[in-house]
Structure formats: C-alpha cells, structure tokens
Amino acid sequence: MAGSSGMQGQERGHGAHRATHRAELRRWLERYGVRPSRRLGQNFLVDDYWAERIVAAVEPGPDDLVIEVGPGLGALTERLAQRAGRVRAVEVDRRLAAALRERLGHLPNLELVEGDILAVDLDRLVSRRDPAEGPVKLASNLPYAITSPFLVRWLEAPIRWERAVLTLQAEVVDRLVAAPGAAAYGALTVLVAYHARVERLGTVPAGAFWPRPEVDSAVVRLWPHPRPPVAVVDPAALFALVRAAFSQRRKRLANALAAHPAVERAQAEAACRAAGIDPGTRPETVDLEGFARLANQLFPPGRPPLPGGGPSLDIMNNEH
C-alpha cells in the first residue's frame, strides 16, 4: 500500500530552507484584511524547498489540467502554472481569492474558482475542452479540517484523474499507509486502499508553514487503481460494513459487524467463518481483501441495495 521516493531521504537538513518573504506576505495579506483563519485551517506553505519538491512530485506537463485545492498564498499555484497547461485553483476565502487575483491574475492559464471544495461540482471542475488533452492531476496543501471528507468525495467521484499529491497532517498520512494490526489502521485506510495506491514522500516540518502549526505534515502521492484491487458485489455495502466495524473497533469482529443495521450477530458470525476469518478477531486486523469477502457473504448478488449506502463524509469520526 505504501511506498517511498528520493524525497524521503532528503527531508532532513533543510531546516534553513525557510521562505525569505514572510514579512512581504504579511503586508500583502494586511492590504486585504486577511488574517490566517484557524477555522479554515489556513497554515500557508512558505518554504521554497518544499514547494519545489511538491510540484516536482506532481510533474505538471504542458497538456495537463492541475486542480489545486486551497491555493493559500500561491506557493504551489505559481509554480504549477509555469509548467502545466491549465491550473484551476479552488479557494473558499473570498478575501484571499481577491488577493491571489491581484498577485497571480497575470497568469493566462490560471483559473481561480471561489467556492467550497466540498460543494463544488467536481465533474465541471475537471472538465476538459478537448478529451485529447493530457491528464488531470490534483495538488493541495489540504486544510486539516476537511481532509477526510475531501478524500472521500474525491475518491468516490466518477471522474478520471492520473495522480494526486497532497500535504496532510502527518497523523492522517500514518493512517493512509498503516498496515492491518497497526493502531493507525482504520476505515479511512481501507477506503483509500480500495481506490488508490498511497506513496509517502516525506515529512514537512511545522516551520515550513506560516502560521506555524502545532504538528508536522507529510506529503503523499496517490495513484488511482485502474480497477479496484478486490471484487465486491456492492461497493456501497463494503464501505457501510467497514464503517460499522470500525465504529466498534475494540470489540470482536462479529459483534462489531452487528453494529450495521442490516446485519444480525448470528449472520456476522456465519459470514466470518465463511470468509475464513476468526469471528473473535478485532476489526483492525482485517485487510481490504478480508472486508471484501465479508461484504460478499453478507450482501450477495440480488440483495436490494442499502438505503443511504456508501462511504460517509465522517468516515474517520466513527472510529473509536
């Protein structure tokens, strides 16, 4: 599930690579009455070294469309626009969007979209004028508060994309790359593993951001699977089952599965045995393939679809 790259070995020793423009950026924001918002998770990347490394991982090409979520002060935006065919940057803060237009509005291939990435039409966002154009790529220093709901929404959307390079809270990245049995392994791990391969690229120190966050961040690159790595009758049933299991992660697996409204304890016990899984094990020991076998046992072909099925935007919040 996880990988590495040359970035990992170079992440130490760059503490001195801090932006020299912090005072200038503060003055620029003050002109627009913009103060970094804790509610919006605004910790702006101001380290030139890391901005270059992240853009290099995106590998924007002259025919590519790059979607950027939360451009902030434009540390990635300007670099992306210099190399990509087109950049669409989605910014929820209107004052910051106005400031970015003044600063980067001269870039002819940059389109700034004002709006909440959790509400915008993703189909329209990634639409191309010409289907023969290059791939869609995603880049973001993702605000911590929307990490889980955005990942769920992006991965579940019926859109075609080639890669995503994201800067996330290091603790979240630990969850994405966790192996079964690890404390960080959970519902989000399983969801992402179903949709994409995760490659951890390196840890970004807190000092690379302004204001300085209380935790470190990490960069990951996601590669979408050309087809799901497991065969399931009903993906919505799979994710509903995973949510139920991890909402009771300290219980026996069969008891945890019975938290699903459509699953009785006796059914859960029988499904575990049929899937070759000990009903007494804990949910965090079951890998994606195991959950797929369980879902196929409990929700076979011909069973009516689950009402309101599929992964929810609070998939991480139900893990206890």
Side-chain angles (χ1 to χ4, degrees):
M1 186 185 305
S4 62
S5 79
M7 186 185 291
Q8 188 78 31
Q10 298 181 44
E11 62 191 58
R12 294 190 179 92
H14 290 278
H17 289 263
R18 301 293 177 258
T20 59
H21 318 298
R22 285 192 174 112
E24 176 187 344
L25 292 171
R26 291 184 188 186
R27 289 194 297 270
W28 178 62
L29 290 177
E30 286 171 0
R31 286 175 52 191
Y32 288 86
V34 177
R35 292 185 179 181
S37 167
R38 178 173 296 184
R39 180 181 62 84
L40 296 176
Q42 291 176 336
N43 298 98
F44 304 124
L45 180 66
V46 291
D47 188 306
D48 292 332
Y49 167 77
W50 277 104
E52 285 293 335
R53 298 299 295 179
I54 292 166
V55 171
V58 177
E59 294 187 83
D63 294 322
D64 296 348
L65 168 62
V66 178
I67 304 298
E68 186 184 7
V69 178
L73 300 177
L76 301 183
T77 315
E78 189 168 15
R79 291 174 170 88
L80 290 168
Q82 289 169 350
R83 305 173 202 182
R86 179 162 291 275
V87 176
R88 289 196 184 114
V90 182
E91 177 55 58
V92 70
D93 189 324
R94 291 183 177 181
R95 293 174 302 175
L96 191 54
L100 282 169
R101 282 197 178 91
E102 178 181 313
R103 187 180 181 206
L104 302 179
H106 64 283
L107 299 173
N109 60 337
L110 171 62
E111 180 182 348
L112 191 59
V113 178
E114 288 187 34
D116 182 350
I117 191 59
L118 300 181
V120 300
D121 185 332
L122 292 182
D123 284 333
R124 292 185 61 186
L125 188 66
V126 304
S127 64
R128 306 302 302 264
R129 294 190 179 95
D130 182 352
E133 290 179 308
V136 173
K137 299 176 179 179
L138 172 69
S140 180
N141 168 30
L142 203 59
Y144 296 160
I146 67 166
T147 296
S148 176
F150 172 73
L151 283 174
V152 172
R153 189 165 192 257
W154 179 266
L155 292 172
E156 285 297 302
I159 57 177
R160 296 176 63 86
W161 53 283
E162 194 262 356
R163 76 178 71 182
V165 180
L166 307 173
T167 306
L168 309 174
Q169 189 173 350
E171 178 185 345
V172 174
V173 174
D174 290 342
R175 296 187 185 195
L176 299 189
V177 302
Y185 182 76
L188 188 65
T189 321
V190 179
L191 169 74
V192 174
Y194 179 83
H195 290 284
R197 175 171 64 88
V198 183
E199 181 184 8
R200 184 171 186 151
L201 300 181
T203 301
V204 187
F209 299 91
W210 176 77
R212 183 187 181 104
E214 297 179 357
V215 297
D216 284 341
S217 301
V219 180
V220 292
R221 184 161 46 190
L222 303 184
W223 304 92
H225 296 308
R227 62 186 60 84
V230 294
V232 290
V233 174
D234 183 356
L238 168 65
F239 295 125
L241 198 68
V242 169
R243 286 204 310 277
F246 283 101
S247 71
Q248 309 280 335
R249 64 181 297 145
R250 292 185 177 87
K251 291 189 176 182
R252 296 172 65 247
L253 177 62
N255 291 343
L257 294 177
H260 190 295
V263 177
E264 297 180 356
R265 187 163 173 266
Q267 290 177 301
E269 294 269 358
C272 287
R273 294 191 178 93
I277 300 172
D278 180 1
T281 194
R282 290 190 173 183
E284 66 250 35
T285 66
V286 182
D287 62 10
L288 171 61
E289 185 177 347
F291 277 115
R293 294 199 304 272
L294 287 168
N296 288 337
Q297 289 293 328
L298 289 165
F299 305 101
R303 178 162 180 157
L306 295 176
S312 66
L313 296 184
D314 61 349
I315 194 167
M316 286 176 59
N317 298 335
N318 290 333
E319 299 179 32
H320 302 300

